[in-house]
Amino acid sequence: MTSHGSDTELAIAAASAGAEVAREMFAGPLQRFDKAPGDFATDADLKAEQVILDLLRTERPDDAVEGEESGQSGAVGSERRWLVDPLCGTLNYAAGHLLVAVNVALQVGTAISAAAAADPATEEVFWTDGGRSCVRRGSTDEVLRPSSRTGLVDVNLDDPFFSDDSYRPTDLLADPAFAARFRPRVVSSTLALTWVAAGRRAAYATGRSMLGSVHFSSGIAICQAAGCTVTDLRGEPLSADSVGLLAAADEETHAALLELIRVA
């Protein structure tokens, strides 16, 4: 046992620590570090990740860690690997919008056994222990209950196109059948996945295939444990060969969106 007990409590503590850094540095002067054209990290990303890594290494020194900014570290060949995205929504953050998520997940073998996604703005932490999904506010946990009642669908527009053009989110948004039933939203953060699990969004779609990634692992695990319907854009189970991601509050919503997306 450690000071944080279970892996789930450690994931919650680590994500919360990163979110605290995001709040402290928000709206202040930020230094940018270019990573690729149109992509960069800030010193807030780096500091949040370091705080998270320090906690994980102290509590689980025998585990491997993969950080968005620092790459892989820790025990080589360990079956247990922590996935850390210290600030999902860096573009939002740098523009003065606290619309971000801090994601921490534990992958054991091929499965995510514990995950947390912290919202620095609301101080909520969405989490799963692999069996259930909850949101923590202060010291109170509430079970997440997906619902499609809002009709709001988040569509990821960040570099989502496939080389074969089999899925274009702009086509989905322009489809009259989409507009007749749903309303589009663009959060540009995997925080949107937690909102699907919490009934605040009907669905989330992205052209990126991110199974096992530092970005999407927490949100996917939280959605799955909450009972959402989660597949790739073909309606197939998520795998290394998956084409994108579609997470919906229920099977009916999922089926309706698959019909509109129509990826071959």
Side-chain angles (χ1 to χ4, degrees):
M1 298 291 289
T2 67
S3 59
H4 288 291
S6 70
D7 290 330
T8 303
E9 287 299 328
L10 179 55
I12 292 170
S16 298
E20 181 61 28
V21 172
R23 282 191 294 273
E24 290 174 352
M25 299 185 69
F26 179 63
L30 294 173
Q31 185 175 359
R32 298 190 182 196
F33 305 92
D34 290 332
K35 297 163 61 175
D39 187 21
F40 60 89
T42 70
D43 44 353
D45 295 72
L46 301 183
K47 184 176 180 180
E49 180 162 307
Q50 190 59 56
V51 167
I52 294 169
L53 296 186
D54 287 347
L55 180 57
L56 295 177
R57 288 167 179 160
T58 297
E59 300 271 354
R60 300 291 191 273
D62 296 328
D63 291 355
V65 180
E66 181 177 348
E68 162 70 3
E69 310 304 336
S70 60
Q72 299 190 27
S73 60
V76 177
S78 174
E79 186 184 31
R80 293 166 50 91
R81 182 169 65 116
W82 292 90
L83 305 172
V84 178
D85 184 358
L87 203 60
C88 184
T90 298
L91 288 172
N92 291 340
Y93 190 83
H97 305 291
L98 197 55
L99 193 59
V100 300
V102 179
N103 298 317
V104 178
L106 174 62
Q107 182 176 348
V108 181
T110 60
I112 300 297
S113 62
D119 181 344
T122 64
E123 301 189 32
E124 295 174 312
V125 184
F126 301 86
W127 62 266
T128 181
D129 57 8
R132 57 178 177 151
S133 287
C134 298
V135 58
R136 180 169 296 182
R137 303 182 184 93
S139 59
T140 302
D141 289 322
E142 178 183 334
V143 175
L144 295 177
R145 303 188 186 283
S147 169
S148 60
R149 66 186 181 280
T150 67
L152 301 178
V153 176
D154 262 291
V155 180
N156 185 6
L157 298 179
D158 292 339
D159 190 25
F161 304 118
F162 297 134
S163 59
D164 62 0
D165 295 333
S166 58
Y167 165 71
R168 288 185 179 275
T170 49
D171 292 341
L172 175 63
L173 299 180
D175 192 317
F178 180 90
R181 178 167 180 176
F182 302 111
R183 293 292 179 269
R185 291 293 183 271
V186 181
V187 170
S188 297
S189 167
T190 54
L191 190 65
L193 278 169
T194 67
W195 292 352
V196 175
R200 303 174 191 176
R201 291 289 191 267
Y204 172 87
T206 179
R208 296 182 175 186
S209 182
M210 288 291 189
L211 184 66
S213 80
V214 296
H215 305 283
F216 283 85
S217 292
S218 289
I220 290 172
I222 289 167
C223 278
Q224 289 175 327
C228 300
T229 303
V230 183
T231 69
D232 73 0
L233 294 180
R234 296 189 179 111
E236 299 295 329
L238 297 180
S239 70
D241 299 321
S242 290
V243 177
L245 170 68
L246 176 61
D250 52 55
E251 292 183 0
E252 181 185 2
T253 300
H254 184 270
L257 287 167
L258 272 185
E259 179 62 25
L260 292 171
I261 291 169
R262 296 184 294 271
V263 169

